[in-house]
Amino acid sequence: MSSLAGRSIGYDVSAYQVRGVLIDLGFPLVARAVAQYLTRARPDAILITHHHEDHGGNVELAARMRIPIGASDATLESLRSPERLGLHRRIIWGNPPALRTPIVRFASDALRLVQTPGHAADHHVVWDAERETMFGGDLFLGVKVRAAHADERPRELVRSLRHAASLHPRRYFDAHRGLVRDPVSALLAKADWLEQTIDAIERRIEQGWSNRAIARAVLGREDVAYYVSRGAMSRIMLVSRVRDESA
Ligand SMILES: [Zn+2]
């Protein structure tokens, strides 16, 4: 799924249906297409990896259709009172309506929600142990992701990446990157790179460097995400998140 604005900067997101269960729900700007899909495909239930608007943005619509929904308490809490989004997120994904309709809760042994905080405090992956398949939501996204947003906890993300790798997924589906080849190596490569990056940032924090100087030295120049998000998704934010997490 993508919006016109999203396509112009290469942003899209996927939902996956497996064992009759739809994993994630897309974003508000594609609500109509999602409603048509739900009517046609009739999933038995929906699992939501985390509260971000490109994953849980159509939860109210699904609740009104009385489709059972599985998500953590924290995710449901956030979906019931959505944060105010920055302009770039409203343009790329749209503003999600709050979840107001009471839901039928869903949980499954075959498709387990596994806590993997870091990208967001309520982030989970969906783990199909029997088929050794993981639906990773926004856990991976790529090895060297140099930009972060204000809710990220980089050290926690490293631990979650190692935990996901320890389950030994043979197949891995990323919400923004599709099928990830050799997922255990990819998850560990990201954990290693991020850990080394955090260490390099922390060394400079101890030496009294400013966030801007550290971002420039360790992560390089800001790219399009910085300008599109007006700094909300940026390299300097990753440095700032490391500083806050280590304080
Ligand atoms: Zn996300």
Side-chain angles (χ1 to χ4, degrees):
M1 293 163 273
S2 61
S3 66
L4 194 60
R7 281 195 293 284
S8 72
I9 51 169
Y11 283 20
D12 62 31
V13 67
S14 295
Y16 298 98
Q17 187 158 325
V18 62
R19 295 183 186 269
V21 175
L22 182 65
I23 298 167
D24 284 339
L25 269 169
F27 52 92
L29 288 177
V30 290
R32 189 197 292 243
V34 169
Q36 284 167 357
Y37 177 83
L38 293 175
T39 304
R40 196 177 68 239
R42 294 220 154 269
D44 301 326
I46 290 162
L47 286 170
I48 300 174
T49 58
H50 64 302
H51 73 281
H52 284 158
E53 68 279 10
D54 47 334
H55 299 260
N58 292 308
V59 67
E60 172 61 12
L61 186 156
R64 283 188 196 167
M65 294 175 79
R66 302 216 130 290
I67 304 172
I69 294 168
S72 69
D73 290 342
T75 298
L76 290 172
E77 182 66 26
S78 298
L79 293 170
R80 288 188 180 113
S81 45
E83 60 188 316
R84 191 173 153 69
L85 300 182
L87 180 65
H88 67 291
R89 288 168 70 175
R90 281 180 276 147
I91 290 174
I92 295 168
W93 307 121
N95 218 18
L99 171 60
R100 295 193 198 284
T101 304
I103 60 160
V104 182
R105 282 295 276 272
F106 167 76
S108 155
D109 289 332
L111 295 170
R112 221 156 41 80
L113 282 168
V114 178
Q115 258 187 4
T116 43
H119 168 78
D122 67 322
H123 190 277
H124 290 66
V125 298
V126 175
W127 175 227
D128 185 334
E130 188 192 32
R131 296 179 181 170
E132 300 171 294
T133 300
M134 189 172 283
F135 299 87
D138 285 351
L139 174 69
F140 178 65
L141 301 177
V143 173
K144 297 180 183 178
V145 178
R146 294 181 168 83
H149 58 78
D151 300 333
E152 275 185 52
R153 297 185 65 87
R155 284 267 180 219
E156 214 165 66
L157 179 53
V158 170
R159 287 193 288 276
S160 291
L161 288 159
R162 296 204 189 286
H163 178 53
S166 76
L167 298 173
H168 300 290
R170 281 157 55 95
R171 285 194 304 175
Y172 184 106
F173 295 92
D174 186 276
H176 297 279
R177 299 278 301 261
L179 184 64
V180 175
R181 290 193 185 287
D182 200 356
V184 173
S185 307
L187 290 164
L188 292 176
K190 182 184 179 82
D192 290 345
W193 177 82
L194 187 53
E195 199 159 53
Q196 287 159 17
T197 302
I198 293 167
D199 289 345
I201 291 170
E202 283 187 339
R203 277 198 301 278
R204 287 167 176 81
I205 290 172
E206 279 162 26
Q207 292 163 8
W209 290 40
S210 72
N211 287 359
R212 189 166 297 280
I214 298 173
R216 198 62 185 271
V218 177
L219 302 166
R221 279 177 189 280
E222 297 286 356
D223 61 11
V224 64
Y226 174 87
Y227 298 98
V228 168
S229 70
R230 291 188 288 180
M233 180 76 187
S234 61
R235 294 167 195 231
I236 196 166
M237 186 63 84
L238 177 54
V239 175
S240 157
R241 297 307 297 140
V242 171
R243 191 186 287 273
D244 290 350
E245 213 180 7
S246 60

